[in-house]
């Protein structure tokens, strides 16, 4: 079933304001975003059932004033009429099933945009505006990930069937994550997850199970506030990033490479302990959600778990905890064994974390 049929007749147009000498890298970036939208719409089961990024008109606003406009035909036509015809040029791009219009001139859409993502009411339609720093996007491949991720979190909040008022109690203070025992378990789980993507099938499964056991053990040692904070980050930030990575139609190798770039930071670079804690609370849950999500997508023939985690607003890791159903005794024994496994380098983790925390006191 074609893209236009999947979106029930929605025809997307791209309208980009660029300088006369068009920046081919910027155009390529816009095309990549369009390809993500297209793939997410045409491969609902593989990406995320119920997530339709094409339904809400959107604008990519580069901070150097270039803009890309994703909209239905009627909205795009309104802007085409309002813009002087001498400013409008069209060019067919073979990678997309619709034309791209380049607009010369100063801010033809007339937007007053600040530094944050926002929404605009355009022609009676709510349009999402994604701000992209023109100085960063070309050098930071993770910027591409943020457009779909930003759309996904809105979808999750709208779809959740549980009371989200508790999110008002979300405490981002990192002091509680400076505990050595928890930090060491974060990075032990991280090492196990990385290896689970690099080993042969049988050894990868062992590493994955070790990661889940370490995850459970760390949660058992955490306070209720710490568990809540981690769950919120893995759900509200990790799942949208997983959805975005899935919409890029990446090979396993490239998927894991990108997930590590988004969520893994070399331990030795994390000085002082604030950076160590921030990585554990913010970056790692992104990586974990992506690896666990990719794993579940392959293990389970039914993708109903994707709808369930959104409706219940719970982390993907919890689905795997329930899938393996390890007892407390198993969790403890597997974690202790993982600490002794030379492949996970727990002795190095201990040494580095103790050194970082000592230097910070």
């Amino acid at each position: 079933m074609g893209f236009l049929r999947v979106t029930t007749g929605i025809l997307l147009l791209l309208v980009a304001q660029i300088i006369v000498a068009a920046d081919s890298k910027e155009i390529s970036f816009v095309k990549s975003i369009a390809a993500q939208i297209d793939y997410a719409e045409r491969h609902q089961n593989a990406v995320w059932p119920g997530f339709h990024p094409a339904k809400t008109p959107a604008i990519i606003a580069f901070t150097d004033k270039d803009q890309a406009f994703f909209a239905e035909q009627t909205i795009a036509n309104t802007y085409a009429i309002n813009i002087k015809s001498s400013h409008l040029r069209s060019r067919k791009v073979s990678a997309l099933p619709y034309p791209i219009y380049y607009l010369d001139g100063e801010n033809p859409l007339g937007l007053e945009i600040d530094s944050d993502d926002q929404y605009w009411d355009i022609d009676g339609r709510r349009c999402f505006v994604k701000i992209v720093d023109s100085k960063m996007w070309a050098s930071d491949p993770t910027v591409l990930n943020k457009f779909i991720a930003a759309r996904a979190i809105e979808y999750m909040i709208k779809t959740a069937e549980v009371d989200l008022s508790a999110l008002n109690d979300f405490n981002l203070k990192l002091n509680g994550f400076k505990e050595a025992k928890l930090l060491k378990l974060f990075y032990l789980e991280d090492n196990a997850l990385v290896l689970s993507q690099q080993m042969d099938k049988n050894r990868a499964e062992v590493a994955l199970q070790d990661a889940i056991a370490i995850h459970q053990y760390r949660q058992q040692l955490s306070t209720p506030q710490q568990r809540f904070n981690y769950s919120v980050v893995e759900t509200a930030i990790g799942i949208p990033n997983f959805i975005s990575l899935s919409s890029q139609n990446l090979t396993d190798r490239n998927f894991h490479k990108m997930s590590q770039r988004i969520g893994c930071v070399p331990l030795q670079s994390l000085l002082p302990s604030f950076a160590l804690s921030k990585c554990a609370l913010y970056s790692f849950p992104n990586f974990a959600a992506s690896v666990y999500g990719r794993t579940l997508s392959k293990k389970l023939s039914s993708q109903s778990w994707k709808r369930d985690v959104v409706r219940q607003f719970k982390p993907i890791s919890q689905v795997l905890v329930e899938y393996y159903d390890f007892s407390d005794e198993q969790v403890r024994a597997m974690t202790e064994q993982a600490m002794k496994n030379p492949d996970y380098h727990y002795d190095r983790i201990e040494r580095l974390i103790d050194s970082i925390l000592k230097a910070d006191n």
Side-chain angles (χ1 to χ4, degrees):
M1 188 161 53
F3 171 63
L4 298 182
R5 290 179 61 192
V6 171
T7 56
T8 60
I10 293 178
L11 176 63
L12 297 181
L13 287 178
L14 292 166
V15 182
Q17 173 203 354
I18 63 174
I19 57 177
V20 175
D23 188 328
S24 60
K25 290 184 178 180
E26 185 171 284
I27 296 171
S28 177
F29 179 85
V30 173
K31 287 166 57 180
S32 295
I33 293 292
Q36 280 187 270
I37 293 175
D38 175 66
Y39 189 82
E41 291 287 355
R42 289 189 295 108
H43 298 85
Q44 283 278 295
N45 208 45
V47 178
W48 204 273
F51 174 59
H52 294 285
K55 284 190 174 180
T56 302
I59 296 167
I60 299 176
F62 294 95
T63 52
D64 64 2
K65 301 301 183 183
D66 295 348
Q67 294 169 2
F69 189 33
F70 299 71
E72 294 176 5
Q73 179 75 61
T74 53
I75 299 178
N77 279 348
T78 297
Y79 275 97
I81 292 171
N82 291 338
I83 298 169
K84 293 180 180 179
S85 59
S86 60
H87 289 169
L88 188 62
R89 298 178 298 160
S90 66
R91 182 181 302 170
K92 183 72 176 177
V93 179
S94 59
L96 302 175
Y98 36 77
I100 295 177
Y101 295 93
Y102 298 132
L103 299 179
D104 299 330
E106 182 64 25
N107 191 15
L109 298 183
L111 302 175
E112 296 179 6
I113 299 174
D114 57 30
S115 59
D116 298 320
D117 297 342
Q118 56 196 277
Y119 286 87
W120 279 77
D121 183 27
I122 297 178
D123 247 20
R125 290 293 304 279
R126 187 169 181 262
C127 295
F128 171 71
V129 181
K130 175 66 183 174
I131 314 301
V132 176
D133 189 333
S134 303
K135 296 179 180 179
M136 291 182 60
W137 69 265
S139 60
D140 183 0
T142 65
V143 172
L144 179 64
N145 200 60
K146 295 175 181 177
F147 179 84
I148 294 293
R151 304 296 301 277
I153 183 58
E154 180 197 21
Y155 151 76
M156 290 176 62
I157 292 173
K158 286 183 176 180
T159 308
E161 296 179 355
V162 296
D163 182 8
L164 298 181
S165 60
L167 296 182
N168 296 327
D169 298 326
F170 182 44
N171 186 352
L172 283 173
K173 292 181 180 179
L174 298 172
N175 291 337
F177 283 87
K178 287 186 179 181
E179 296 179 24
K181 61 182 181 181
L182 295 182
L183 288 172
K184 292 171 184 177
L185 290 171
F186 265 116
Y187 289 97
L188 182 61
E189 182 184 352
D190 179 80
N191 282 359
L193 279 178
V194 170
L195 287 178
S196 75
Q197 310 309 307
Q198 298 175 350
M199 295 176 164
D200 62 75
K201 186 175 181 180
N202 291 334
R203 295 179 68 200
E205 176 64 19
V206 172
L208 177 68
Q209 291 186 26
D210 284 343
I212 283 294
I214 296 163
H215 174 88
Q216 282 185 255
Y217 189 64
R218 173 174 54 75
Q219 291 290 73
Q220 290 172 4
L221 296 181
S222 301
T223 66
Q225 185 67 56
Q226 289 168 337
R227 288 194 293 271
F228 175 73
N229 285 357
Y230 179 87
S231 294
V232 169
V233 175
E234 191 192 309
T235 305
I237 300 178
I239 291 179
N241 274 306
F242 169 62
I243 292 175
S244 184
L245 286 174
S246 299
S247 72
Q248 294 176 44
N249 191 24
L250 301 170
T251 63
D252 283 344
R253 181 177 180 180
N254 287 335
F255 181 95
H256 299 311
K257 182 178 179 180
M258 281 300 299
S259 64
Q260 288 184 48
R261 295 197 69 162
I262 292 169
C264 283
V265 180
L267 184 57
Q268 60 269 27
S269 69
L270 294 173
L271 293 169
S273 63
F274 175 82
L276 191 71
S277 303
K278 185 176 181 180
C279 181
L281 182 56
Y282 291 95
S283 299
F284 173 71
N286 277 331
F287 175 57
S290 294
V291 175
Y292 290 143
R294 186 82 161 188
T295 298
L296 280 168
S297 294
K298 292 183 175 182
K299 280 185 174 294
L300 304 180
S301 57
S302 171
Q303 299 299 298
S304 60
W305 65 269
K306 293 178 178 178
R307 292 186 183 274
D308 292 342
V309 295
V310 171
R311 288 169 178 164
Q312 299 170 35
F313 208 79
K314 70 177 184 180
I316 293 177
S317 59
Q318 185 58 35
V319 181
L320 270 173
V321 167
E322 295 165 0
Y323 175 84
Y324 285 112
D325 195 26
F326 295 136
S327 68
D328 290 348
E329 291 76 14
Q330 286 177 300
V331 164
R332 187 178 301 104
M334 292 171 70
T335 301
E336 290 174 354
Q337 187 61 39
M339 290 176 177
K340 300 174 184 177
N341 188 333
D343 289 336
Y344 301 151
H345 303 290
Y346 185 69
D347 55 342
R348 183 171 178 272
I349 292 172
E350 276 199 307
R351 185 171 65 255
L352 285 172
I353 289 180
D354 287 342
S355 175
I356 291 171
L357 294 178
K358 182 178 179 181
D360 200 42
N361 290 330

